[in-house]
Amino acid sequence: MDDDKLTELLWEHDEKGLAALKAKHGRLILNICRGILKSPQDAEECLNDALLAMWNSIPPDRPENLTAYAAKIARRKAVDRLRYNTAAIRNAELLTELDECIPSSYRAEEKAEKSELSAALNDWLRKQGEKQQRLFVQRYFLMNSVLKSAEKTGMSLTAATTALSRMRKSLKDYLIERGLFYE
């Protein structure tokens, strides 16, 4: 079933749409959740949370790209679960690596700032080379390890580590220029 038909079924709250959504995008959602959460049980639960969130958000949302929409919701649910699971002891590797270039005072609840930061991040990412874009998405959107991100983009571990470090510095400078990062 194509995404337009699937979106229409979800829009009409037809339960066939939910089953088709899980059949078509369940594996993608589960892989994203597994990449962020190391517990298979948490990843399965996160899959169900993401499917429910999509069911509840369509309508009023009508995504143009259902696959990207599913990935975005899956990632958000998995990160929320990770934060919940590690509330007392933050996972420094996954949750703080970008702190050096994304403002720590940033609050997701502040929609205008979120939108402005998201637009700036997308603009900056578009200016990167294709390989750097894929590396950045693998590492910080899908939250794969540096090694796995390097493998997926055909880079050595050293090259990927260096590229990610330079990209974080570049992103920080870019956000400072636009007044979106305060030290």
Side-chain angles (χ1 to χ4, degrees):
M1 177 179 306
D2 73 344
D3 281 354
D4 291 335
K5 175 87 169 130
L6 188 49
T7 301
E8 194 58 41
L9 287 173
L10 292 170
W11 185 264
E12 296 168 358
H13 274 287
D14 186 331
E15 290 184 22
K16 293 177 195 167
L18 189 57
L21 177 65
K22 185 172 185 178
K24 184 165 185 185
H25 296 294
R27 189 174 201 173
L28 167 72
I29 294 169
L30 190 58
N31 285 338
I32 291 170
C33 295
R34 282 183 181 151
I36 296 169
L37 304 165
K38 300 310 173 201
S39 163
Q41 295 84 6
D42 282 349
E44 279 289 333
E45 193 170 323
C46 193
L47 164 67
N48 293 326
D49 290 347
L51 292 171
L52 179 62
M54 290 183 70
W55 177 261
N56 288 333
S57 66
I58 303 173
D61 293 344
R62 190 177 204 117
E64 290 180 29
N65 184 330
L66 191 61
T67 304
Y69 189 74
K72 177 181 163 186
I73 288 179
R75 182 183 183 282
R76 185 178 308 140
K77 290 295 180 184
V79 168
D80 287 349
R81 173 57 56 95
L82 181 63
R83 284 192 175 122
Y84 174 80
N85 289 348
T86 59
I89 48 170
R90 294 287 177 203
N91 183 330
E93 181 185 350
L94 290 177
L95 297 179
T96 62
E97 195 169 296
L98 278 177
D99 281 351
E100 50 187 77
C101 60
I102 292 184
S104 60
S105 62
Y106 173 73
R107 289 177 180 67
E109 304 83 44
E110 299 171 14
K111 195 169 185 173
E113 285 182 21
K114 180 180 177 184
S115 176
E116 190 174 352
L117 182 60
S118 179
L121 178 60
N122 287 332
D123 185 49
W124 172 82
L125 195 54
R126 273 191 289 278
K127 294 176 181 176
Q128 305 306 303
E130 184 180 337
K131 190 176 262 190
Q132 284 78 14
Q133 288 175 359
R134 287 196 333 256
L135 178 65
F136 194 85
V137 168
Q138 284 291 323
R139 178 68 181 127
Y140 299 117
F141 184 80
L142 299 176
M143 291 190 161
N144 288 327
S145 68
V146 176
L147 179 60
K148 187 173 182 180
S149 300
E151 289 170 354
K152 293 233 179 213
T153 55
M155 298 175 80
S156 70
L157 178 60
T158 305
T161 302
T162 302
L164 288 167
S165 176
R166 289 178 180 161
M167 290 172 75
R168 287 191 308 270
K169 183 182 179 335
S170 170
L171 177 57
K172 179 180 178 181
D173 293 344
Y174 187 83
L175 294 175
I176 288 171
E177 285 174 19
R178 277 143 194 81
L180 294 171
F181 184 86
Y182 309 99
E183 294 188 83

